[in-house]
Amino acid sequence: MTQTVSDHEVAAVVAADERRAERIDRIVGLIQRQGALAVLVVVVVIGSVAFPNFRSFDNAATILIAAAPPALIALGMTFVIITGGIDLSVGSLYVLGGVVSAYASQWGLLPAFLAPLAVCGLIGVLNGALIAYSRMAPFIVTLAALLGARGLMRAISDEGSTTYLVENDAFRAFGTGSFLGIGYPVWLVAAVFAAGMVLLSRTRFGHAVYAVGGSEDAASLMGVAVRRTKVWVYVMSGLLAGLAGAINAAKLGSGVTVLGTGMELDAIAAVVIGGTLLTGGAGTIAGTIAGVLLLGVIQNMINQVGNVPSSYQQVISGAFLAVVVVAQTYLVKLRRVT
Amino acid sequence: MSEATATATRPAIDLARIRAWLPAYGVYVAIALLMLFNVLFTPNFLAWSNLRIQLIQMAPIVIVALGMALVIGTEGIDLSVGAVMALAAALIPLYLGYGVIAAIIVSLIAGVLVGLINGTLVARVGLQPIVATLALFVGGRGLALVISGGQLKDVRNEDLIYLGSGDLFGIPVLVWIAALLVLIVGFVVRRTVFGRRLLAIGGNRPATELAGVPVKRVLVTVYVVCSVLASIAGLLAVARIQSSDASAVGLLIELSAITAVVVGGTPLTGGRVRVLGTVAGALLMQLVVATMIKHNLQPSTTEMVQAVIILVAVYVARERKTR
């Protein structure tokens, strides 16, 4: 038996369907963008219940200060990845920046900050120029920079045998001191992140970064200076890695030559967990913060457990990364379908 | 004067032809020049004892780079190979009690499993290769450390040590194995349907799918092959060093392997695999390091020179604007 349905009823059903699809779309989008934040909240709640030492203010301050240098590197990486690129050199630049900073600290506080920025910024310029103007893959250019920067670091540290101590008291005080119980480096990193957020979401440069990652050709037709934008993101990435190195030198009181291996991949992991797509064109800095903190909190919780070897942290981080990226891919697909 | 007209229309040095020729054969030219330099200026460079050491050091990188070349041929990348080497290395001492064969099989199975995970993430879930393999890069070595308890274990099994340090007809077994694998991979790429499909995927995946090629299955196989080659390199590394240290075996080898592939003229954009070029790429990097060590240059200089070589190689091979 066929039922006659009035046009009015059909329209109502279609409208309801559309509303539902829109709602699902919004929710899925929200999960994709803020998933890392949600998981971070869950993990922090679990940690607070399970470990009495976890919820102390001091522990939170410890997590933040440990996360400060990786967070800076991940911030630069976020910009690079949104343009559809990648920067493998940041781990080396981080170490190089630390050694240069410790060496330059003998001339004062300002050189201790400016020297690593100059050196790492210059390598960033090289990266960016080669990638933007000579059509070479970012992966390879920055891989070469990884080797080159490491070589440079070894050269100025007598093949890694010389550790430069930070002689400047003000610089050391910056690394170890705190304001309102939270280390100075954390305040500095927070300020840099705030600036990064404004830059990405409120300026023409930020729009250009998204446009280049979305479609280079379209961006070029729209009048975006594609090459200049690309150069700048690699310069930023280099500068931030250098700054991260300086902060670490101030914290440790010396330029340590053996750290930083695999740091670029940790940063990429944090950015990807934070919801930035490696295909470019999408991503948020808030997500990156959540990604960095999540990895930091996991590490901290493993330390809380005590006799668990640190290798478990790598396993958990890796598994976590896998789960997040797989979930993200399905979310993106779901969104396209609905 | 036909000769004069010929020289007028065609310059003595045809830049366009050199430009086409250099990306493919530049690496061999560089090797030849470096060899010439060494023969002339490095004492005892041609001594067998020296060449032997160079070959032994090269073998694991070549084996890993072969798999990497296949993956790159599909427009992918595999960052997990170092972790696979560590996993294989960690498993060997655990199963050596059941015999060498058992230990080797277990470490190869580990390679297969990692390859299946990577391949499934890339082909079926649709992740980007760099992200898919990053998860195991981050977690795989940790897992290897968990398995081995984070301890260095000595390996005393004669048969295994023979694989790493023994000779067959005066040439190290390690080198025989690497050479055999080069031949097999070269044959697979050039002469088999699988090789053609792999290159087709790298060239144009949607078209390959439309042509009815089981793209996903081929991709999974490629990642499995890459991981198995890495686990072979891992067990050979254990056999050579005669101890298993999961925190050190294969550390950063993914970068050396990618370098060898790229310097050898395989484009990162897929669709082409140069097997001999990959071996040449590894040989060139090895020669650079050896030359610099023999002439008392510091590792720092070596690294910077390597960086320049990579850049030059990729600059020469970069795709030109077709417009």
Side-chain angles (χ1 to χ4, degrees):
Chain A
M1 190 178 138
T2 51
Q3 250 182 336
T4 46
V5 185
S6 73
D7 289 354
H8 184 74
E9 279 171 320
V10 172
V13 170
V14 169
D17 259 7
E18 266 174 15
R19 272 202 304 279
R20 224 186 86 235
E22 210 170 275
R23 210 166 52 232
I24 292 175
D25 198 40
R26 252 207 323 273
I27 294 168
V28 169
L30 197 70
I31 297 173
Q32 195 206 326
R33 272 179 278 116
Q34 308 300 343
L37 191 65
V39 177
L40 177 64
V41 171
V42 172
V43 170
V44 167
V45 168
I46 292 172
S48 316
V49 175
F51 310 109
N53 291 331
F54 181 82
R55 51 176 174 248
S56 71
F57 179 80
D58 280 350
N59 191 50
T62 309
I63 293 175
L64 287 178
I65 193 103
L72 282 179
I73 292 176
L75 176 65
M77 191 69 83
T78 310
F79 279 85
V80 171
I81 290 180
I82 291 176
T83 65
I86 200 140
D87 190 347
L88 297 181
S89 68
V90 286
S92 288
L93 289 180
Y94 168 68
V95 187
L96 175 65
V99 172
V100 169
S101 172
Y103 183 76
S105 67
Q106 59 181 312
W107 300 310
L109 180 66
L110 212 54
F113 277 110
L114 292 184
L117 290 182
V119 173
C120 297
L122 202 62
I123 296 176
V125 171
L126 273 175
N127 278 339
L130 283 173
I131 290 162
Y133 290 95
S134 73
R135 303 170 60 78
M136 289 154 78
F139 193 91
I140 288 298
V141 171
T142 56
L143 172 64
L146 180 163
L147 281 172
R150 201 166 60 189
L152 196 60
M153 181 276 293
R154 289 215 190 143
I156 60 175
S157 63
D158 302 323
E159 304 308 318
S161 63
T162 305
T163 304
Y164 296 109
L165 295 179
V166 171
E167 306 288 358
N168 185 290
D169 289 337
F171 189 51
R172 259 210 314 269
F174 166 79
T176 49
S178 62
F179 174 67
L180 299 176
I182 291 170
Y184 289 130
V186 178
W187 292 106
L188 177 68
V189 171
V192 173
F193 261 85
M197 267 182 191
V198 171
L199 191 63
L200 188 61
S201 58
R202 297 263 178 272
T203 65
R204 276 184 62 183
F205 174 74
H207 293 312
V209 168
Y210 280 114
V212 169
S215 163
E216 229 169 84
D217 292 338
S220 178
L221 287 174
M222 271 157 50
V224 172
V226 173
R227 290 175 166 176
R228 211 170 55 208
T229 309
K230 278 194 182 175
V231 173
W232 273 112
V233 293
Y234 289 96
V235 173
M236 275 180 60
S237 180
L239 287 174
L240 289 168
L243 183 61
I247 286 178
N248 202 45
K251 258 165 58 183
L252 301 175
S254 64
V256 182
T257 54
V258 291
L259 296 170
T261 308
M263 194 125 176
E264 52 284 329
L265 295 165
D266 289 344
I268 295 169
V271 172
V272 169
I273 287 174
T276 297
L277 302 176
L278 264 183
T279 39
T284 60
I285 287 172
T288 298
I289 299 176
V292 170
L293 286 179
L294 194 53
L295 292 181
V297 166
I298 290 173
Q299 183 172 11
N300 184 271
M301 279 169 62
I302 284 168
N303 292 344
Q304 299 281 336
V305 176
N307 51 15
V308 177
S310 65
S311 43
Y312 278 95
Q313 184 224 327
Q314 294 173 8
V315 179
I316 293 173
S317 299
F320 203 78
L321 181 65
V323 170
V324 167
V325 288
V326 170
Q328 230 174 44
T329 315
Y330 279 118
L331 285 174
V332 171
K333 275 185 193 158
L334 200 63
R335 230 178 147 190
R336 282 206 196 112
V337 172
T338 47
Chain B
M1 295 295 271
S2 63
E3 224 178 288
T5 17
T7 33
T9 48
R10 191 161 50 89
I13 298 171
D14 192 341
L15 277 177
R17 271 181 68 188
I18 292 182
R19 229 176 254 145
W21 183 82
L22 210 54
Y25 301 103
V27 60
Y28 302 106
V29 176
I31 290 172
L33 290 176
L34 208 52
M35 281 301 262
L36 188 67
F37 173 86
N38 278 313
V39 170
L40 293 178
F41 301 108
T42 312
N44 296 327
F45 189 81
L46 282 181
W48 174 239
S49 58
N50 175 52
L51 293 181
R52 194 187 139 88
I53 291 168
Q54 307 303 339
L55 285 175
I56 289 176
Q57 285 179 348
M58 243 180 80
I61 297 176
V62 167
I63 294 172
V64 174
L66 283 176
M68 187 68 81
L70 294 181
V71 171
I72 289 178
T74 66
E75 211 181 349
I77 200 118
D78 190 345
L79 296 180
S80 69
V81 285
V84 175
M85 280 181 74
L87 270 174
L91 287 168
I92 294 258
L94 289 184
Y95 290 90
L96 216 45
Y98 305 100
V100 186
I101 305 291
I104 289 176
I105 287 174
V106 168
S107 63
L108 291 184
I109 288 174
V112 172
L113 287 179
V114 170
L116 281 177
I117 294 172
N118 286 337
T120 307
L121 288 178
V122 171
R124 298 192 196 279
V125 181
L127 288 185
Q128 276 180 293
I130 185 170
V131 188
T133 54
L134 182 62
L136 271 158
F137 171 90
V138 174
R141 190 172 294 277
L143 199 61
L145 285 165
V146 170
I147 289 171
S148 68
Q151 278 161 352
L152 190 146
K153 289 198 180 78
D154 284 341
V155 170
R156 294 259 170 271
N157 187 296
E158 291 296 326
D159 296 330
L160 192 66
I161 289 173
Y162 174 73
L163 284 181
S165 326
D167 275 8
L168 188 65
F169 306 126
I171 289 172
V173 178
L174 207 61
V175 177
W176 282 113
I177 296 174
L180 185 69
L181 291 171
V182 170
L183 284 178
I184 294 173
V185 171
F187 178 80
V188 166
V189 169
R190 288 237 171 151
R191 297 259 183 261
T192 64
V193 177
F194 175 74
R196 268 205 298 282
R197 287 175 164 174
L198 177 166
L199 296 178
I201 293 171
N204 188 341
R205 183 169 165 179
T208 315
E209 248 156 24
L210 287 175
V213 171
V215 167
K216 292 177 177 170
R217 215 175 59 211
V218 174
L219 273 178
V220 172
T221 315
V222 168
Y223 282 90
V224 168
V225 170
C226 181
S227 288
V228 167
L229 285 169
S231 60
I232 293 175
L235 73 91
L236 289 179
V238 171
R240 180 161 77 89
I241 313 164
Q242 303 183 12
S243 68
S244 162
D245 180 3
S247 61
V249 170
L251 197 62
L252 294 182
I253 197 160
E254 51 283 330
L255 298 183
S256 306
I258 293 167
T259 304
V261 173
V262 168
V263 170
T266 301
L268 274 182
T269 43
R272 176 182 290 171
V273 173
R274 291 188 188 280
V275 176
L276 271 186
T278 300
V279 179
L283 178 63
L284 180 63
M285 297 323 257
Q286 180 69 33
L287 274 178
V288 168
V289 175
T291 310
M292 301 210 124
I293 290 173
K294 301 260 183 228
H295 289 270
N296 290 323
L297 284 163
Q298 304 288 359
S300 59
T301 323
T302 314
E303 280 180 333
M304 286 190 271
V305 170
Q306 282 177 311
V308 172
I309 291 177
I310 296 173
L311 286 180
V312 170
V314 180
Y315 184 81
V316 180
R318 93 211 126 109
E319 47 177 319
R320 242 158 288 281
K321 265 196 177 144
T322 42
R323 270 168 286 165

